Amino acid sequence: MTRRILALCSTVALTVASIATPAGAHDELGRRIAAMSLPEKVGQMIVSYVYGDSATSASAANEAMFGPGVATPAQAVETYHLGGVIYFTWSGNLSNPPQIAGLSNGLQRAALGDTGIPLQISTDQEGGTVNRIGAPLAISPGNMAIGATFDPRTAHDAAKVSGAELRALGITVTHAPVVDVNTNPRNAADGVRAFSDRTAHVAAFGTAAERGYRAAGIGTTAKHFPGLGDTTVNTDNGVAVTDQSRAEILRTHVPPFRAVIAAGAQSIMAAHIVAPALDPSGAPASLSQPIITGLLRERLGFNGVVVTDALEAAALEDYTDEEVILGAVRAGVDQLLMPRSVPGAIRILLDAVASGQLSERRIDQSVRRILKTKTTRPYVSEPPAVGTPAALTTMSGIARRSITTLRSAALPLRPGQKVLVTGWGATTTTTLATALGATRLYTGSPSDALIAQAVAAAGEADVTVVTTFNAWSDPTQPRLVAALLATGKPIVVAAVGTPYDLASFPSAKTFVAAYGYQPPSLAALAAVLRGEAPAPGRLPVTIEGLYPYGSDGR
C-alpha cells in the first residue's frame, strides 16, 4: 500500500508542478482553467465536510447531505468536483493517525481521478481549546499560553511541530493561526484562542506562527478578518457586532492581518462579524464587498485565497442560501466553507453564471487563486510518523514557559499534605488530581448542593486546588470559589481558561494561570504547584483593576 502510494507521488508531482510552476505560471494556469468545465470550476470553490473514516465508507448521512447515490466521501468529491474537504471528529474522520492518513490518500485518489487537481484537506488544529486531533500527536498548549511566554519563537516552534504532524496525516491546510486581538475580556469567540490583547504582541506571534507553519510545508488560514477580539458573541451561536470606529478597528485589529500577509499567509478567513463602521449596510464581513474587496484586497493588498467562516453558522441564519452564496462571491470570497447545502450552493453559482448575475471570469479569478495554493504532494506515507519525542518535548517546554503565578500564598504544596482537587473539567480535574496524588471531586458548573459537598471536602483537606474555566461566563464557578475561600482553608485557584477569572474572585490569595487544559499545560501546572518548576510566564492580557499586561506576580 505504502509503496504504491509513494510511486504515485512522482506522477502527481507533475500535476502539481503544472499548476504552480513559477516560470510561465500565468499562461499555464490560464490554460488549465480554460480546460475546466464550469461545474469543475465551481466545485473548486466549495470546502465541505464528509462523513466516514475512509474514502469508501458508505453512510446514509452522506446521502442525506449530498443526494441519493452519493454515499461515500469519494463519491462526494467526484460528483461535485470538490476543491476541499474539512475534517471533524463528529463526522467520523479523525479516529487515529493511520486511519486519517488512509482517508486523506483515498480522497486524493478520488480528486485526482476526477479533475486531476489535488484536494485541499483541512482541519481546525489551533491547539488549546480548539484541537481536533489529540494524542498521540504533540498538542500545542494554545495561543494565549504561547503568548504568555513573551517569546515569539515559541509560536514558530509550536506551529512548525503542529504543521509537520498535520502534513504527515495528509492534511494540507490548517485553519490557523488566530490573529484576533482579544480586547474584550468577555469575548466568547476568542479568549485563550488569542495570543494577547495587544496589537503588536499578536502581530509578532501571529507572524512567527505563520512562518512556522510554512517551514512545515502546510498551508495556513489566518482568522477571523477583520478581527473578532472586541465582540462578546461567537458567530457560531449568533450575530456578533462591533461598535468600534473605523479608526479603532484599523489601528487595533487589522495590523496583525497585515503582518501575516507580509509573512506569506496563504489564505484569510472572513468572519461573519458585523462592523457598521466598515460597512454601514450591516452586512457580515463575509458578505461585505467594502470589507473583503475594499479593505482586505485593495487596502491591505491581499491577493491570496479568502475563505468564509462556516456558512452553517447561526450568524447567517436570517439570510437565504442565495444571499449567502452570491453575497460572499460578490464580496470577493474565493472558498465557501461548509455551505448549508453543497448541491444547492453549486446550483446557485451555476444558475447565476447562466443568468448573467455572475460572470465566469469572476469564477475564474477565484479558481486561479485556489489552484495556486495546491503545490504540495497530495499523498502521504502510511502509517504516519507523529508524536515523536522531539515534538512532545517542544510542546511541553512551551507549556512550562507559559504558567503564570500571580499570587502564591498557598504554594508550593508540601509533601504529606492532604490535597483536594475540585472544580471545572471532568478530564482536567482527573488529570490534575492524579499528577498531585490528590483526592478529586468534580463539580463542573455546580449546584448549591454540590458546592456544599465541595466545601465539606475542603474542610477535610489541608489545601484545595480549584480549577476554573472562563468563570466570568458561568456564575456558578465564582460561587464555588467564594464558598471555598470562606472556609478559611488554603485555596489554590488554577485558571485553565483565560486569566480574567481572577476578577470574579479578587480576594483569592493564590492564583495560577495555566491558559489551557491540554496535557502539556496540566503537567506544567502540576509541576509549578508542587514547587518542582518555576512559573516564568507573564500575563499577555490585562486583568482590569488588578494586573496589567506583562505582570508576573512578582
Side-chain angles (χ1 to χ4, degrees), residues 13-99:
L14 296 175
T15 301
V16 175
S18 71
I19 291 174
T21 303
H26 187 278
D27 290 340
E28 179 62 32
L29 202 53
R31 287 192 291 272
R32 181 69 185 88
I33 294 170
M36 297 171 68
S37 68
L38 182 58
E40 288 174 337
K41 295 176 184 178
V42 167
Q44 284 297 309
M45 299 174 70
I46 305 296
V47 180
S48 176
Y49 54 88
V50 293
Y51 291 95
D53 60 3
S54 79
T56 55
S57 298
S59 75
N62 280 324
E63 290 200 85
M65 182 174 176
F66 296 107
V70 187
T72 71
Q75 288 171 336
V77 169
E78 294 163 345
T79 301
Y80 297 105
H81 319 297
L82 295 181
V85 165
I86 181 170
Y87 287 168
F88 293 100
T89 301
W90 53 258
S91 54
N93 308 143
L94 302 173
S95 296
N96 57 72
Q99 169 270 316

Side-chain angles (χ1 to χ4, degrees), residues 25 94 108 114 124 149 159 254 318 320 400 413 437 458 460-461 512 545:
L94 302 173
Q108 292 290 6
D114 174 39
D124 296 293
T149 69
V254 170
D318 290 337
T320 67
R400 285 196 300 272
L413 304 179
E460 298 297 320
V512 183

Side-chain angles (χ1 to χ4, degrees), residues 157-196:
D157 294 346
K160 187 176 179 180
V161 167
S162 182
E165 294 198 322
L166 293 175
R167 281 299 296 125
L169 301 178
I171 294 168
T172 64
V173 170
T174 179
H175 291 301
V178 173
V179 291
D180 298 332
V181 183
N182 198 75
T183 55
N184 189 335
R186 294 183 175 272
N187 190 328
D190 286 326
V192 289
R193 297 171 68 194
F195 289 111
S196 174

Side-chain angles (χ1 to χ4, degrees), residues 109-453:
R109 282 192 294 271
L112 289 163
D114 174 39
T115 62
I117 299 171
L119 185 70
Q120 173 186 301
I121 300 176
S122 62
T123 197
D124 296 293
Q125 188 84 350
E126 299 170 11
T129 59
V130 179
N131 196 76
R132 305 302 184 204
I133 312 169
L137 271 65
I139 307 305
S140 167
N143 283 355
M144 193 168 283
I146 291 170
T149 69
F150 275 69
D151 182 356
R153 290 174 297 182
T154 60
H156 175 278
D157 294 346
K160 187 176 179 180
V161 167
S162 182
E165 294 198 322
L166 293 175
R167 281 299 296 125
L169 301 178
I171 294 168
T172 64
V173 170
T174 179
H175 291 301
V178 173
V179 291
D180 298 332
V181 183
N182 198 75
T183 55
N184 189 335
R186 294 183 175 272
N187 190 328
D190 286 326
V192 289
R193 297 171 68 194
F195 289 111
S196 174
D197 64 1
R198 300 298 174 100
T199 300
H201 196 120
V202 174
F205 279 74
T207 299
E210 175 64 39
R211 290 174 175 152
Y213 286 123
R214 287 181 63 199
I218 193 167
T220 57
T221 310
K223 58 189 184 184
H224 309 79
F225 190 80
L228 288 176
D230 180 55
T231 64
T232 57
V233 177
N234 188 325
T235 56
D236 288 343
N237 305 318
V239 178
V241 180
T242 176
D243 293 321
Q244 287 194 319
S245 69
R246 181 180 182 87
E248 288 174 317
I249 294 171
L250 295 179
R251 182 175 59 249
T252 303
H253 300 282
V254 170
F257 289 97
R258 188 189 298 275
V260 295
I261 290 169
Q266 173 177 297
S267 64
I268 302 289
M269 180 176 287
H272 303 315
I273 185 176
V274 175
L278 300 180
D279 184 350
S281 76
S286 54
L287 311 183
S288 169
Q289 189 175 47
I291 294 175
I292 303 304
T293 296
L295 178 56
L296 180 56
R297 295 250 189 244
E298 296 176 356
R299 180 159 180 161
L300 299 188
F302 182 66
N303 196 36
V305 172
V306 177
V307 58
T308 66
D309 206 340
L311 295 178
E312 293 182 340
L316 300 179
E317 64 182 9
D318 290 337
Y319 291 83
T320 67
D321 285 354
E322 185 169 289
E323 289 171 332
V324 168
I325 301 303
L326 295 185
V329 175
R330 286 169 176 156
V333 162
D334 303 303
Q335 286 183 319
L336 303 167
L337 177 63
M338 298 166 59
R340 292 181 287 222
S341 167
V342 169
I346 290 174
R347 176 49 52 196
I348 287 168
L349 290 174
L350 292 175
D351 288 348
V353 173
S355 67
Q357 296 180 73
L358 280 179
S359 68
E360 189 164 355
R361 182 174 176 273
R362 169 64 189 88
I363 301 296
D364 289 351
Q365 288 175 341
S366 287
V367 174
R368 180 179 294 276
R369 294 188 187 107
I370 292 165
L371 296 190
K372 281 182 178 179
T373 69
K374 298 192 172 185
T375 60
T376 55
R377 291 179 177 238
Y379 294 113
V380 295
S381 299
E382 298 178 42
V386 295
T388 65
L392 294 169
T393 297
T394 294
M395 295 306 193
S396 62
I398 294 169
R400 285 196 300 272
R401 295 176 64 185
S402 74
I403 305 300
T404 307
T405 299
L406 294 177
R407 298 176 180 178
S408 58
L411 296 180
L413 304 179
R414 299 188 303 277
Q417 281 186 313
K418 185 177 180 181
V419 179
L420 169 70
V421 172
T422 189
W424 181 92
T427 301
T428 296
T429 50
T430 297
T431 301
L432 196 56
T434 300
L436 297 176
T439 302
R440 169 188 178 263
L441 174 62
Y442 166 63
T443 63
S445 297
S447 63
D448 289 343
L450 200 48
I451 290 174
Q453 188 177 346

Side-chain angles (χ1 to χ4, degrees), residues 144 192 406 470 495 497-503 511 513-515 539-541 543:
M144 193 168 283
V192 289
L406 294 177
N470 294 356
T498 61
Y500 304 120
D501 284 7
L502 183 56
F511 184 86
Y515 308 100
L539 278 180
V541 296
I543 304 176

